[in-house]
Amino acid sequence: MTPTPYDAIILGAGGAGLMCAAVAGQRGRKVLLIDHADQPGKKILISGGGRCNFTNIHTAPDRYLSTNRHFAKSALSRYTAQDFIALVNGYNIAWHEKTLGQLFCDGSAKQIVAMLMDECPDDRVTLSLGQSVSDIRHSDGTYQVDYGSEAATAPALVIATGGPSIPKMGATSFAYDIARQFGLKVVEPRPALVPLTLGGEETLFRSLSGVSAPIVASCGKTAFREAALFTHKGLSGPAILQISSYWRHGDPVGVDFLPDLKPDWLTKLKREAPRLALSRAVNAHLPARLSETLLERIALSGDLGNLADRKLEEASRRLSNWRFMPNGTEGYAKAEVTAGGISTADLSSKNMEARQMPGLYAIGEAVDVTGWLGGYNFQWAWASGHAAGEAI
Ligand SMILES: Cc1cc2nc3c(=O)[nH]c(=O)nc-3n(C[C@H](O)[C@H](O)[C@H](O)COP(=O)(O)OP(=O)(O)OC[C@H]3O[C@@H](n4cnc5c(N)ncnc54)[C@H](O)[C@@H]3O)c2cc1C
């Protein structure tokens, strides 16, 4: 079989691959976009509860985790949240800011996929769905990809097959296999934006399943003020998902259940209302089931006036800096993204091309760049896809 020649072959028709194909196609490049799924942009379709949190207006490099914290700067500055908003506006897709700069479609995530597909010129971009890649070779500056019963060649090959989070949606570690095949290093991948699990004595907290509260979660020097949710396995909710990306086995996670109260609030309240029960004082700020469980663990009860200042100060300290010792995460099955991935040390931050392997590019979640929750990961997919699309 004679392989069909293209200017570029992009593996993976997710957010990053679609953006890359659109930009390259509009530059007149003949592009083949291959995905083993039966439709493009499957993660876009399920994202944001079906409304796709497509970007964040506060996008900045410090909201990304990477071994090289400077790596994302270049691509993010050359294709910004405002650039993507302009594209969305050009298609009259209505959107709104939900919270913390997070932009969602008013209608459906399907609009984002349709827009990206529409951006791919028909006569330039060939989409091949439901095809597995069986072999990739490189010789004399040309990449050959065998897929399904076909083969294609091109001087440029883009790895855009994402990370292994949510395998039941077709996510794989294929990106890392290709990277390693061509000598690129892979920073050990791990589930991120993922619920944490509690074991041992802390399984008691599982009885709070369904209870949520606005808190500050911290790990090391990083902290997020958002909601936390107790689950039947441990902890979830936006604050926990955010902190999970920074968490490593053995680290404690700190939770401030009363972030708006000063350390001396209980002793002050004791002077004002000595007959007030401690449980009622805490109940005023937390869901009843949660405050009961926490006070049970602190083993303190009675009217404020009957409790020593020292004990009240200690209770206040515990409530503001509760230490959980998660025993793991819910893993790739529940992780919104994969942290780690193809090492940025082997890629150009300008155009995402491999330094030692001309014509090989890696973009999107496959790369060791992971955003916070809230539209940051799609903005990285768009920006890195755009950077490579301008280069291939
Ligand atoms: C439930 C959920 C909700 C999310 N919500 C948001 C959100 O609202 N906002 C946000 O910013 N981020 C969100 N994310 C994260 C976001 O979806 C990803 O960061 C983003 O999709 C990464 O884009 P990508 O193109 O790099 O990879 P992907 O979107 O994962 O695309 C990779 C593509 O490669 C294909 N592929 C994989 N392996 C192979 C193979 N072996 N052969 C051929 N093709 C292959 C896949 O089928 C897929 O189409 C969410 C993630 C999940 C799981």
Side-chain angles (χ1 to χ4, degrees), residues 69-86:
R69 60 196 176 86
H70 301 295
F71 183 82
K73 277 183 189 165
S74 175
L76 289 173
S77 70
R78 283 177 298 122
Y79 191 82
T80 65
Q82 292 307 325
D83 289 325
F84 196 77
I85 294 167

Side-chain angles (χ1 to χ4, degrees), residues 25 89 103 112 144 153 155 158 221 337 364 388:
N89 288 344
L103 306 191
I112 299 292
Q144 174 162 337
T153 55
V158 184
K221 289 184 181 151
V337 285

Side-chain angles (χ1 to χ4, degrees), residues 14-16 35-36 46-48 53 161 166 172 174 336 364-365 375 377-378:
D35 202 297
H36 66 174
I46 59 152
S47 68
N53 176 193
T161 51
I166 322 283
T172 65
F174 190 48
E336 208 163 281
E365 196 178 319
N377 284 296
F378 277 134

Side-chain angles (χ1 to χ4, degrees), residues 7 16 39 44 66 73 86 90 99-100 109 118 145-146 164 189 194 215 222 239 258 364 380-381 388:
D7 294 322
Q39 56 177 324
I44 300 175
S66 173
K73 277 183 189 165
T99 177
L100 302 169
D118 202 59
V145 176
D146 296 348
V194 62
I215 57 131
T222 309
L258 302 171
W380 169 247

Side-chain angles (χ1 to χ4, degrees), residues 11-18 34-37 39-44 46-49 51-55 104 131-133 160-163 165-166 169-175 193 334-337 363-366 372-381 384:
L11 303 177
L18 284 167
I34 305 175
D35 202 297
H36 66 174
Q39 56 177 324
K42 273 191 156 179
K43 276 196 185 164
I44 300 175
I46 59 152
S47 68
R51 291 220 160 87
C52 186
N53 176 193
F54 55 80
T55 193
F104 286 74
Q131 303 286 3
S132 296
V133 173
T161 51
S165 51
I166 322 283
M169 290 196 58
T172 65
S173 300
F174 190 48
L193 298 180
K334 291 286 159 61
E336 208 163 281
V337 285
I363 57 176
E365 196 178 319
W372 285 3
L373 186 76
Y376 296 99
N377 284 296
F378 277 134
Q379 188 57 39
W380 169 247
S384 56

Side-chain angles (χ1 to χ4, degrees), residues 118-285:
D118 202 59
E119 282 289 292
C120 293
D122 284 344
D123 59 339
R124 299 275 94 197
V125 179
T126 304
L127 179 61
S128 171
L129 294 171
Q131 303 286 3
S132 296
V133 173
S134 51
D135 194 29
I136 302 174
R137 298 185 287 284
H138 177 258
S139 66
D140 299 333
T142 299
Y143 294 88
Q144 174 162 337
V145 176
D146 296 348
Y147 62 106
S149 56
E150 299 180 63
T153 55
L157 177 69
V158 184
I159 307 172
T161 51
S165 51
I166 322 283
K168 73 168 188 238
M169 290 196 58
T172 65
S173 300
F174 190 48
Y176 313 146
D177 300 339
I178 311 169
R180 289 193 186 102
Q181 177 185 340
F182 291 110
L184 276 64
K185 286 186 285 303
V186 174
V187 174
E188 189 173 339
R190 60 182 203 282
L193 298 180
V194 62
L196 298 173
T197 55
L198 297 175
E201 278 210 342
E202 291 178 326
T203 48
L204 286 172
F205 285 98
R206 295 182 186 176
S207 64
L208 291 175
S209 180
V211 172
S212 81
I215 57 131
V216 173
S218 59
C219 188
K221 289 184 181 151
T222 309
F224 291 94
R225 183 177 181 142
E226 275 191 72
L229 170 72
F230 289 89
T231 70
H232 62 288
K233 289 191 176 161
L235 296 166
S236 187
I240 299 298
L241 297 182
Q242 295 279 36
I243 213 68
S244 75
S245 300
Y246 293 82
W247 179 82
R248 302 297 177 112
H249 273 273
D251 288 345
V253 168
V255 172
D256 183 350
F257 285 108
L258 302 171
D260 290 321
L261 297 179
K262 298 221 165 76
D264 61 353
W265 75 283
L266 275 175
T267 45
K268 272 198 170 153
L269 195 58
K270 172 178 162 179
R271 314 275 176 259
E272 288 159 25
R275 292 210 179 143
L276 184 68
L278 173 65
S279 56
R280 289 194 62 188
V282 177
N283 250 330
H285 301 281

Side-chain angles (χ1 to χ4, degrees), residues 258-327:
L258 302 171
D260 290 321
L261 297 179
K262 298 221 165 76
D264 61 353
W265 75 283
L266 275 175
T267 45
K268 272 198 170 153
L269 195 58
K270 172 178 162 179
R271 314 275 176 259
E272 288 159 25
R275 292 210 179 143
L276 184 68
L278 173 65
S279 56
R280 289 194 62 188
V282 177
N283 250 330
H285 301 281
L286 287 176
R289 277 167 68 201
L290 176 57
S291 77
E292 276 162 28
T293 307
L294 295 175
L295 287 174
E296 250 172 60
R297 304 277 293 189
I298 292 177
L300 197 63
S301 61
D303 293 350
L304 295 178
N306 294 331
L307 296 167
D309 281 5
R310 187 178 44 80
K311 295 227 161 180
L312 292 176
E313 280 159 11
E314 169 62 15
S316 167
R317 227 183 348 262
R318 295 261 328 256
L319 293 169
S320 302
N321 187 16
W322 201 276
R323 279 162 68 92
F324 288 98
M325 285 302 289
N327 63 358

